[in-house]
Amino acid sequence: MYNDLNPILHSQLRLAIISLLVKNKAMEFTEIRAATNATAGNLSVQIKKLEAAEYITVLKSFKNNYPLTTLKLTQKGLLAFEEYVNELKKYLEP
Amino acid sequence: MEKENLNPKESLQIIQEMIQAEKLRFSENGFIYRFWGWLVSIAALAHFILLQLEMYDYHYYPWFLTIFGGIFTGFYYGRKKEKTSLPVSGKILSYTWITISFFIFGIAFFFPVRAGDLLLFIILSHIAVGTIVAGAIFKFKTLLIGGFICGAMAFVSLVVPREYGSLITIVAVVAADLIPGYQMKRMYNKENKI
């Protein structure tokens, strides 16, 4: 049986962000931007959506007097990603 | 390096393995680190006090506590294992600690005289390896630093008088077990909103 894929994760950029955070414990905004090739504006919007869903935490601090945004995956985000991958697997293995 | 082409099924398998590894990290509340940290600290302190009291016939008795610690750890993980299947990283960590325990208990309880002045070095260097591997798997810097401090204490044990070995052991387990253990607990409680 095919279930609907999680709409929060079923977006290329948001899925890429979560995938990167599963692989790396914490990542800076600039690192994610470089890895995804997204614009800063689009990335900020998608990060806010993931944060609102409590899939990630966003920590704002300073590094050498420059603002530093660090992203971390939450347990809720990890479980949502796991469910997404399991559902996707069903589509690939009918 | 040749780039490996994976089919979607293989890719998903790798992703699922990564997810399981992350779940292992999220499930770690640091209890076993705190447990061993306190157990070894108490045994080492008792050992030190008995030596200061010149009770040379019994000074090593507190270390028998670690046998109960080993049995308890076996039950603790045996019970946990029933609930979750371990990812590859978890299995690596599990086998690493089982092997380390085997060598530590073997040398400490069966060949302490043969090991002589190197006994503490052997024990602490093994603990350092396990702690560093755990730190790398959990991507936890405090544990990594603790492992390196424990390794450094192994070398320190070679140059200080033997009666201070217990104090060196306490420094090593505070860095490698107690501090990371309490930090893990704090992070776990925060994540699970306890």
Side-chain angles (χ1 to χ4, degrees), chain B residues 32 35-36 39 64-77 101 105:
Chain B
I32 213 71
F35 171 76
W36 276 104
L39 185 79
F64 287 118
L65 273 176
T66 57
I67 295 174
F68 296 106
I71 294 167
F72 174 78
T73 307
F75 277 117
Y76 179 78
Y77 279 110
S101 310
F105 279 96

Side-chain angles (χ1 to χ4, degrees), chain A residues 19 21-25 54 57 72-76 78-79 81-83 85-86 88-89 92-93, chain B residues 8-9 12-13 15-16 18-20 22-27 138-141 187-188 191-193:
Chain A
S19 304
L21 291 175
V22 170
K23 202 173 168 189
N24 305 288
K25 193 179 165 190
E54 296 180 338
T57 52
K72 271 186 184 179
L73 185 71
T74 63
Q75 197 168 9
K76 191 178 172 184
L78 180 69
L79 295 176
F81 183 66
E82 184 185 28
E83 200 186 320
V85 171
N86 288 338
L88 198 62
K89 217 175 162 187
L92 294 168
E93 292 174 343
Chain B
K9 202 178 162 188
L12 281 176
Q13 192 60 42
I15 293 168
Q16 280 184 318
M18 278 163 55
I19 292 170
Q20 292 311 314
E22 278 301 283
K23 278 173 90 175
L24 178 75
R25 186 169 70 78
F26 276 116
S27 71
F138 292 132
K139 299 172 199 161
F140 189 33
K141 213 183 274 179
M187 283 158 60
Y188 180 85
E191 192 62 47
N192 291 283
K193 298 186 172 74

Side-chain angles (χ1 to χ4, degrees), chain A residues 32-82:
Chain A
I32 291 180
R33 205 179 125 188
T36 57
N37 232 350
T39 62
N42 190 14
L43 190 57
S44 297
V45 171
Q46 305 312 328
I47 285 171
K48 272 187 190 135
K49 283 186 184 172
L50 289 171
E51 194 185 11
E54 296 180 338
Y55 287 180
I56 60 168
T57 52
V58 180
L59 185 76
K60 290 185 188 289
S61 58
F62 284 92
K63 188 178 172 185
N64 300 327
N65 288 328
Y66 287 99
L68 175 73
T69 306
T70 310
L71 281 72
K72 271 186 184 179
L73 185 71
T74 63
Q75 197 168 9
K76 191 178 172 184
L78 180 69
L79 295 176
F81 183 66
E82 184 185 28

